[in-house]
Every structure is written in structure tokens, then in C-alpha cells.
Amino acid sequence: MEQPATLPPGTLLADIRARIAHAAQIARREPDEVTLVAVSKTHPAERIVPLIAAGQRCFGENRVQEAQDKWPALREAHTGIALHLVGQLQSNKAEDAVRLFDCIHSLDRPSLLTALARAMDKAGRRVPCFVQVNIGAEAQKGGCAIADLPALLAAARTADLPVIGLMCVPPAGIEAAPFFALLDKLAADHGLAGRSMGMSEDFETAVMLGATHVRVGSALFGTRG
């Protein structure tokens, strides 16, 4: 059962934007350096439309099939939508993902890189990607191992696959700041401008540590239980 957010969508959106701006100010950054990705996974179109009406245009989905079901009609009805894939991607869904999404946050292995490069060649469009890093070296979690990152980035350059930054999901239940700081350093070391990090519970910390994209779901939509 869905637990709805208690405030109107426009109020929640304004609050999140204000908190991003405040965190950016503390870090001596400009708020427009940070893209708010409203993660609409599991939420139906009727929950998304009020946020679009309030001015949000960048949305994230976890699954290709769910996005295929929801977003074509929403995009037809509303201009300027940018759709980001923020969940794990199976290689056999690469063609669908390239056709549908404007950015992919979960490139994490050579086989997916090959599938995406082939799909982009076929579609005639280059979709910007983040490499997902397994920043906490968690066996159960997706992401490229830190030690494997240089080779994956080199392979992406060879394949003309546009990597614009790094993405991470820190381990749950412990302070996220050291992991955000590590991702920021890794991105800087590899000359990458993008840092996709920070979710509902820690996006302000992520902004203060260099996030360019924060992925906020439950703070905007409520949770499903």
C-alpha cells in the first residue's frame, strides 16, 4: 500500500529545491549546478503529473518496462521531460533503454558497455552515461569495483560511449559522507564532471560534497509499503 506524502507535491518540490540551494550555498556552489532527478519508480502517472505541473522536468525510473508503460503518454502531454534510468540495466534491455532514456546512471560492466555501444550505434544517438561504482565494496550490490574503473572508462572511450560522470549508492545504515567524498575524488581523478549521488535521506550531504545529480524519490512521492 502506498503511503502518500503529507504535503502537496508543489510544496514538497519547493522544499527539496530550497534544501538543495541551502546545501549548495554552504559549499559555495550555485544551486543550478545540481540537477534534481525525481525518482518516480512504482508511482503511477497521476502521482507524477502534479510534480510536472509544479515545474519538475527531470524524472528517474528503475526499470525499462515500467518506464515504457508510463512515460510515452506523459511525454506526449508534457514538453521538456528528461528521463533518467537510475536502476540496474540488463544487457538485453540496452536497445529499449537507449530509445527511451536521456541518461543512464548504471553502466557497471564491460558486457553492458558493449550492449549499450551497439544499441547507440543502431539508434544513431549517444545517450550520456554514469558509471555506477560499488563504492562500499558490497558483494550483494551492483556497480563497478573501484579497481576496475580505469579499464571500464578506457573501454567506454574506445567505444565512443559518452561517460559524463560516476554514480554510487553508499552502504545503508552508516554515514554516507565518506563514500560521497570518495566518489568525488574518483571522478576528479578521471576528469569526469558528473557525480550522481545522494537520495532522499542524504541528498544535502551529497550536494555539499560535489553532487551534480541527486536522486530523490520518497521525499517527493512518499513511500510504498
Side-chain angles (χ1 to χ4, degrees), residues 51-136:
L51 278 179
I52 297 175
Q56 180 65 19
R57 286 296 182 273
C58 184
F59 291 86
E61 291 283 343
N62 268 35
R63 295 186 175 90
V64 172
Q65 183 61 54
E66 183 181 349
Q68 287 174 319
D69 292 341
K70 287 194 305 199
W71 281 99
L74 283 167
R75 285 183 131 169
E76 187 173 342
H78 305 279
T79 60
I81 298 294
L83 195 57
H84 291 223
L85 179 65
V86 298
Q88 295 298 115
L89 177 61
Q90 296 176 329
S91 295
N92 63 4
K93 294 288 187 180
E95 287 192 18
D96 291 334
V98 166
R99 282 195 296 267
L100 184 61
F101 290 96
D102 302 295
C103 188
I104 294 169
H105 291 236
S106 48
L107 171 61
D108 63 354
R109 60 195 186 278
S111 59
L112 179 57
L113 188 155
T114 299
L116 284 170
R118 186 182 301 118
M120 290 182 197
D121 289 342
K122 182 176 179 179
R125 68 187 299 245
R126 313 312 284 181
V127 179
C129 296
F130 289 85
V131 170
Q132 181 176 350
V133 179
N134 188 345
I135 203 71

Side-chain angles (χ1 to χ4, degrees), residues 145-175:
I146 292 173
D148 296 335
L149 183 58
L152 189 63
L153 291 173
R157 287 192 292 272
T158 299
D160 191 28
L161 197 152
V163 173
I164 62 170
L166 303 180
M167 179 270 229
C168 74
V169 180
I174 60 176
E175 173 58 47

